[in-house]
Amino acid sequence: MILSESAIEALERCDRLPELILLDINMPRMNGFEFLEIVDEKLSQAQPPVKVALLTTSSNPADARKAETFASVGWFLSKPLGRDMLDQLVSEFS
């Protein structure tokens, strides 16, 4: 596990990319969409490709449409992320 002040810094400190990233849309300094604009191509071209589960409390359909524009986003999930939803995510990812 990498602990960092920013998502970009965390990725730079990784010896290898994770296979799955849980990413909140609303984060301080840089939101999830801004993060994806920087790293989406790198994540989707990695071997194996990195998949992103985008988390949000937003009910705005524009957020779901925007999430679909990123190749690395495999899931758009509403928070809170409960045990059942997490189990389903792990099952679909495996």
Side-chain angles (χ1 to χ4, degrees), residues 43-89:
L43 298 180
S44 61
Q45 292 181 358
Q47 290 302 317
V50 177
K51 283 298 181 188
V52 174
L54 201 52
L55 309 173
T56 186
T57 56
S58 172
S59 59
N60 186 344
D63 286 339
R65 287 191 301 273
K66 186 169 185 173
E68 292 173 356
T69 67
F70 296 99
S72 61
V73 174
W75 302 270
F76 186 80
L77 305 172
S78 295
K79 292 190 311 184
L81 185 63
R83 176 67 185 202
D84 291 342
M85 193 181 298
L86 186 58
D87 288 344
Q88 181 179 350
L89 174 63

Side-chain angles (χ1 to χ4, degrees), residues 23-27 30-33 54-56 58 63-64 67 76:
L23 181 64
D24 197 333
I25 289 177
N26 296 312
M27 296 184 298
M30 176 185 292
N31 70 38
F33 289 129
L54 201 52
L55 309 173
T56 186
S58 172
D63 286 339
F76 186 80

